[in-house]
Amino acid sequence: MPQAVLTAKEPKVKQCIDNCTACSNICVETATYCLNMGGKHADPAHIALLFNCYDICRISADYMLSNSEFISQICSLCAQVNDRRASSCDQFGDDEQTKACADMCRTCADSCRQMAEL
């Protein structure tokens, strides 16, 4: 069903777009950081999940900007990926970069869940 009422100018939608954009950015930064750290930071599954999160966040923002009829479905998936991404970053404890990534992923997941419910 088309989401004709939702536009990128609506405060909740705009906030979710902003969160998705910030999250995609920090995922790329964190991937670079983790690859440079090496060891368990550079685990292929961990890096792949960072890039999956980057992609789904960027796609979710694009779908909201275009007022796609699939916003609910794409945002639901984005929330799931962000939840998984945050858990993956949690394994590094007090590491500042991965903690910042986990926090942003949780914020993005919460916003996307709200979009999925509209």
Side-chain angles (χ1 to χ4, degrees), residues 3 10 16-17 23 32 36 46 50 55-56 68 77 90-92 103 111 115:
Q3 302 278 331
E10 298 289 330
C16 192
I17 291 167
C23 194
T32 301
N36 287 329
H46 177 72
L50 277 163
D55 284 335
I56 195 67
S68 171
L77 178 59
D90 286 342
Q91 71 179 310
F92 300 105
D103 291 345
S111 287
M115 288 297 99

Side-chain angles (χ1 to χ4, degrees), residues 28-42:
V28 170
E29 293 167 8
T30 304
T32 301
Y33 169 82
C34 287
L35 288 169
N36 287 329
M37 289 292 292
K40 70 178 185 174
H41 280 79

Side-chain angles (χ1 to χ4, degrees), residues 74-85:
I74 206 76
C75 284
S76 177
L77 178 59
C78 189
Q80 292 173 49
V81 172
N82 272 282
D83 286 338
R84 177 90 47 94
R85 174 75 243 123

Side-chain angles (χ1 to χ4, degrees), residues 1-113:
M1 165 167 57
Q3 302 278 331
V5 197
L6 297 177
T7 69
K9 293 180 183 179
E10 298 289 330
K12 281 187 178 184
V13 178
K14 183 176 179 346
Q15 185 62 57
C16 192
I17 291 167
D18 292 346
N19 288 338
C20 284
T21 301
C23 194
S24 68
N25 291 343
I26 200 166
C27 283
V28 170
E29 293 167 8
T30 304
T32 301
Y33 169 82
C34 287
L35 288 169
N36 287 329
M37 289 292 292
K40 70 178 185 174
H41 280 79
D43 175 70
H46 177 72
I47 298 300
L49 191 52
L50 277 163
F51 284 111
N52 288 165
C53 191
Y54 160 79
D55 284 335
I56 195 67
C57 287
R58 188 179 41 78
I59 290 166
S60 293
D62 288 347
Y63 274 52
M64 285 181 277
L65 285 166
S66 69
N67 197 29
S68 171
E69 66 183 275
F70 300 106
I71 290 172
S72 180
Q73 294 91 335
I74 206 76
C75 284
S76 177
L77 178 59
C78 189
Q80 292 173 49
V81 172
N82 272 282
D83 286 338
R84 177 90 47 94
R85 174 75 243 123
S87 294
S88 180
C89 278
D90 286 342
Q91 71 179 310
F92 300 105
D94 289 338
D95 181 284
E96 189 176 314
Q97 180 66 41
T98 56
K99 183 175 179 348
C101 186
D103 291 345
M104 187 68 243
C105 286
R106 286 187 181 91
T107 298
C108 186
D110 290 343
S111 287
C112 283
R113 262 189 287 284

